[in-house]
Amino acid sequence: MTALQKLRDEKVTIFDLTESNPTRCQFKYPQDKILSALASVKNLAYEPNPRGSLAAREAIAKYYQAKKFDVSPEEIFLTSSTSEGYSYLFRLLADVDDEVLFPQPSYPLFQYLVDLNDLKINFYPLTYADSWHMNLEQLDGQINSKTKAIVVVNPNNPTGSFIKKSELKQLSAICKQRNIPIIADEVFYDFGFDDSPEESLVNNHEVLTFVLGGVSKTLALPQMKLSWIIVKGPKELVKAANERLEIIADTYLSVNAPTQNAFSEWLLLKDEIQNEVRERLKRNYDFIKKEVAQSKSCQLLKTEGGWYAVLRLPDDIDEEDFVLQLLREDHVFVHPGYFFDFEEGAHLVLSLLAPFDIFCDGVKRLVNRI
């Protein structure tokens, strides 16, 4: 029996600082508006389109155009999830035992996605020096004849770091020289902090580039299962990619009609939903920043965006032992850094989505334990 399950069975109150499911974090969703958008007579008709409904793609294009990005409905493919989007792209770009480069640290789901598509995973490092940066020299050294795509998570999960303008320029040059496409996961893009650079790959025309987004983060509605792929790059490469993606998407036609038909109305709720989430993220981040600064016993690594905070522990603390002791004795649940493939030093990863009172109590107990 795990330590967490034992405490839950004993009805002990857990200060869960790992929760990443926004629907469990006490946000006040505009319920009536979300649900009423699903009551459309259009849902009784089946109109298959490999790219997804035009109305939904037009809404996505307008969403990007409002950010001053040049996106048209013809550049968009709908999928049921970002994970499915990755699978489409892996099938498009790679054969069995080919390799995809991912950032490290990053989200553990990537290993499963690569394995399920019979590919190999390799990593390029993100290094920290006052802020996170892509180690492009090591990235270039990791590329080999089997490398078929480079993934950029922007902002990264869990480091919260955006790609910098100079990094994007260098990365595009490397990929152009090696003829390797970029997959840019920008699901957390709307949740940049005040001083974040917020560089995007949506307007990257230098190399074949696929940008992923979805309602799971953009509208904090992971259960509604709607994501998208935007295809950018040189015209000939985009044309070939679109033709092949249409075949892949047409084979599955996985996005359900109610979600596609409701999306345009849901997107009108974006600011209302995001403002509450952003307020929670900022309040929690400001609190942990203050607590850590006062304790001087650990370091809060700079976060530029996203839903997570990363703590670096003192060198004499064993990461796994600390997490278990914190859970068993203080009833605070956090992720150890190795869960996200932090390699050097001991780290903790905390979700910033938790309700403020839970987050405060959990962080205070955490800092006291350190």
Side-chain angles (χ1 to χ4, degrees):
M1 181 182 296
T2 66
L4 178 63
Q5 189 58 53
K6 183 175 185 295
L7 290 171
R8 285 175 171 165
D9 290 345
E10 294 171 356
K11 308 300 182 185
V12 173
T13 298
I14 304 296
F15 298 89
D16 189 352
L17 305 187
T18 70
E19 185 60 74
S20 60
N21 179 348
T23 67
R24 295 177 181 168
C25 293
Q26 301 177 27
F27 290 114
K28 298 176 182 178
Y29 288 94
Q31 299 180 47
D32 293 343
K33 294 177 182 178
I34 291 172
L35 296 176
S36 64
L38 292 167
S40 170
V41 70
K42 294 179 181 178
N43 296 335
L44 298 177
Y46 180 47
E47 298 178 355
N49 185 324
R51 293 175 183 249
S53 87
L54 178 59
R57 288 185 286 121
E58 287 175 338
I60 293 168
K62 289 179 181 177
Y63 156 76
Y64 282 101
Q65 290 162 9
K67 298 175 180 291
K68 310 302 182 185
F69 294 132
D70 180 21
V71 176
S72 70
E74 291 72 30
E75 297 172 314
I76 300 170
F77 286 83
L78 302 186
T79 64
S80 62
S81 67
T82 307
S83 294
E84 184 178 66
Y86 273 111
S87 292
Y88 281 14
L89 296 176
F90 292 161
R91 293 298 182 188
L92 171 71
L93 301 172
D95 294 320
V96 173
D97 289 333
D98 279 340
E99 186 176 279
V100 180
L101 273 177
F102 284 86
Q104 187 178 40
S106 65
Y107 193 58
L109 174 67
F110 293 144
Q111 180 70 63
Y112 294 96
L113 290 174
V114 168
D115 289 345
L116 285 170
N117 285 278
D118 302 314
L119 303 179
K120 304 295 184 184
I121 194 168
N122 199 355
F123 298 97
Y124 63 89
L126 303 178
T127 56
Y128 189 83
D130 297 326
S131 63
W132 291 97
H133 298 275
M134 296 175 65
N135 191 322
L136 290 160
E137 183 177 349
Q138 289 196 37
L139 180 151
D140 194 26
Q142 294 289 78
I143 296 172
N144 59 60
S145 61
K146 287 285 190 177
T147 306
K148 301 303 179 182
I150 295 174
V151 173
V152 175
V153 185
N154 187 48
N156 182 264
N157 175 17
T159 67
S161 51
F162 281 89
I163 190 171
K164 312 304 184 288
K165 189 172 184 178
S166 60
E167 292 173 341
L168 178 55
K169 184 177 180 180
Q170 293 177 65
L171 176 64
S172 294
I174 291 170
C175 291
K176 187 174 183 179
Q177 181 183 15
R178 304 293 194 101
N179 194 28
I180 296 174
I182 300 171
I183 300 173
D185 184 334
E186 296 194 345
V187 296
F188 287 106
Y189 185 82
D190 282 350
F191 299 96
F193 289 4
D194 293 340
D195 59 348
S196 65
E198 296 188 16
E199 192 70 29
S200 174
L201 282 79
V202 174
N203 281 349
N204 191 38
H205 297 283
E206 294 299 311
V207 297
L208 186 59
T209 302
F210 303 92
V211 178
L212 303 176
V215 303
S216 176
K217 306 302 185 297
T218 300
L219 298 178
L221 292 172
Q223 75 278 30
M224 294 307 182
K225 312 309 295 177
L226 180 68
S227 296
W228 55 84
I229 303 168
I230 299 173
V231 187
K232 291 286 188 174
K235 289 184 179 180
E236 290 187 5
L237 294 178
V238 168
K239 182 176 182 294
N242 284 343
E243 290 173 352
R244 296 175 184 181
L245 271 176
E246 279 201 356
I247 295 173
I248 295 172
D250 195 40
T251 302
Y252 293 99
L253 291 173
S254 61
V255 189
N256 68 74
T259 299
Q260 294 184 79
N261 291 330
F263 178 72
S264 298
E265 292 185 46
W266 287 345
L267 201 55
L268 298 176
L269 308 174
K270 176 178 67 71
D271 290 344
E272 180 179 352
I273 294 171
Q274 287 189 1
N275 287 344
E276 185 181 7
V277 175
R278 276 197 290 262
E279 182 180 349
R280 174 85 56 84
L281 298 174
K282 185 179 187 307
R283 193 178 184 193
N284 284 347
Y285 188 74
D286 287 347
F287 179 82
I288 191 173
K289 188 175 182 180
K290 180 180 177 182
E291 288 293 306
V292 169
Q294 291 176 347
S295 75
K296 298 182 180 179
S297 57
C298 59
Q299 180 185 8
L300 178 66
L301 303 187
K302 183 178 180 181
T303 297
E304 296 167 346
W307 290 0
Y308 296 91
V310 178
L311 285 178
R312 178 181 286 163
L313 300 178
D315 292 337
D316 60 347
I317 290 182
D318 181 277
E319 185 179 276
E320 185 168 7
D321 288 346
F322 179 85
V323 168
L324 287 172
Q325 187 178 38
L326 182 68
L327 177 60
R328 288 169 175 154
E329 299 185 22
D330 300 295
H331 307 151
V332 179
F333 184 35
V334 298
H335 281 311
Y338 69 76
F339 186 75
F340 294 87
D341 288 328
F342 284 86
E343 285 198 321
E344 296 182 5
H347 297 81
L348 303 177
V349 177
L350 289 68
S351 170
L352 295 170
L353 289 181
F356 184 65
D357 56 341
I358 294 173
F359 189 82
C360 289
D361 285 345
V363 167
K364 287 178 180 178
R365 292 173 181 231
L366 164 60
V367 173
N368 287 336
R369 172 61 57 184
I370 295 174

